[in-house]
Amino acid sequence: MNVLVVSPHPDDAELGMGGTIVRLLGQGHDVTVLDMTSGEPTPHGSEEIRARETAAANKALGNPRRINLGLPNRWLEATLENRVKLAEAIRRVRAEVLFVPYEYDAHPDHRATYHLAIDARFAAKLTRTDMAGEPCYPRKIIHYFCTHLKLDIQPTFVIDISEQMDAKLAAIACYQSQFYEGRGDKAGWIPEMVRTTNAHFGQRIERAYAEPFFAQEVLGLKGLDDVL
Ligand SMILES: [Zn+2]
């Protein structure tokens, strides 16, 4: 299956669903992570540092295909022009399943990514258009949680990542400029929050760790074999 993870910034895919990415790759799926922006500037990063950290994190995840749309960081907007760029990427990747950030978020780039992805999914199927590539309609959108709001998350389902958690934490640790440097006694606070959140949802299914997901559309099961 062709899976496209739409990530506002380099690190959001890792934080929200790094374990699932590792798991999907291990199951033989074709996974692409698309970062909407460079993620820079940030207080302790730079374009070069962030690109280096992203390459290292991507390797820790098991090397999903990684692309960057190069849109303006901090000022990302759900414009028609940006919708077309993302729709063309969906067509290029031939995405069957789209992972998209959760709708509610304090960060405008994350909210813009949500709206762009929903609209680009529809645009990607259009015929009789100037857009590059052949029509493509990802049949499911699944939302992952990389939100800056301290929400009490109510997932539709969770994925067991007990065996993938070490790789996920290793990938997150690659972003030293984002989670450790210059953060004083808050150094490592975000990775620890992710770990405890994943432990919480792991406990809900009697596993060590799990990542939460939300679906607006109905998801079907072939049977009960994969239900934990
Ligand atoms: Zn972000």
Side-chain angles (χ1 to χ4, degrees):
M1 195 179 283
N2 264 337
V3 176
L4 178 60
V5 181
V6 182
S7 183
H9 310 110
D11 72 10
D12 287 313
E14 285 87 348
L15 293 168
M17 54 176 293
T20 298
I21 291 170
V22 175
R23 185 166 190 135
L24 290 172
L25 287 168
Q27 291 171 330
H29 296 293
D30 201 317
V31 182
T32 301
V33 178
L34 180 152
D35 299 310
M36 298 291 278
T37 87
S38 69
E40 294 299 324
T42 57
H44 305 287
S46 69
E47 296 273 349
E48 296 71 28
I49 291 168
R50 192 69 169 268
R52 222 169 30 237
E53 291 174 344
T54 307
N58 210 52
K59 196 173 170 195
L61 292 179
N63 284 316
R65 190 178 303 114
R66 191 118 190 181
I67 49 183
N68 194 302
L69 220 47
L71 298 177
N73 189 57
R74 291 180 171 176
W75 306 105
L76 185 60
E77 281 190 306
T79 63
L80 289 177
E81 194 186 354
N82 291 343
R83 186 194 303 176
V84 166
K85 284 182 183 167
L86 184 54
E88 288 181 336
I90 290 170
R91 287 157 81 110
R92 250 193 332 272
V93 170
R94 312 303 305 160
E96 297 170 79
V97 175
L98 217 52
F99 282 93
V100 173
Y102 190 58
E103 180 175 8
Y104 301 106
D105 204 304
H107 198 314
D109 286 0
H110 287 218
R111 290 203 309 277
T113 299
Y114 168 87
H115 289 289
L116 282 166
I118 299 287
D119 294 344
R121 181 230 203 168
F122 194 87
K125 74 172 180 176
L126 297 178
T127 57
R128 305 176 77 176
T129 157
D130 293 339
M131 276 187 294
E134 294 300 312
C136 171
Y137 188 70
R139 54 193 172 84
K140 292 293 173 194
I141 288 185
I142 298 171
H143 299 284
Y144 67 97
F145 294 90
C146 57
T147 176
H148 288 242
L149 291 171
K150 292 178 179 61
L151 299 175
D152 187 10
I153 292 171
Q154 299 290 325
T156 308
F157 65 93
V158 303
I159 292 182
D160 178 10
I161 57 156
S162 304
E163 289 175 14
Q164 292 77 26
M165 194 62 192
D166 286 348
K168 172 176 181 166
L169 291 174
I172 293 171
C174 294
Y175 292 101
Q176 288 288 314
S177 72
Q178 301 304 301
F179 306 128
Y180 293 91
E181 282 160 23
R183 289 194 162 251
D185 59 6
K186 286 269 188 184
W189 185 82
I190 290 172
E192 178 58 11
M193 181 187 68
V194 168
R195 195 192 65 74
T196 53
T197 300
N198 290 163
H200 167 75
F201 286 110
Q203 285 168 352
R204 301 303 89 200
I205 56 167
E206 299 184 22
R207 295 291 191 276
Y209 294 104
E211 283 172 337
F213 293 93
F214 179 81
Q216 290 176 324
E217 295 176 296
V218 173
L219 291 180
L221 296 171
K222 284 183 183 169
L224 295 177
D225 288 354
D226 284 339
V227 176
L228 298 174

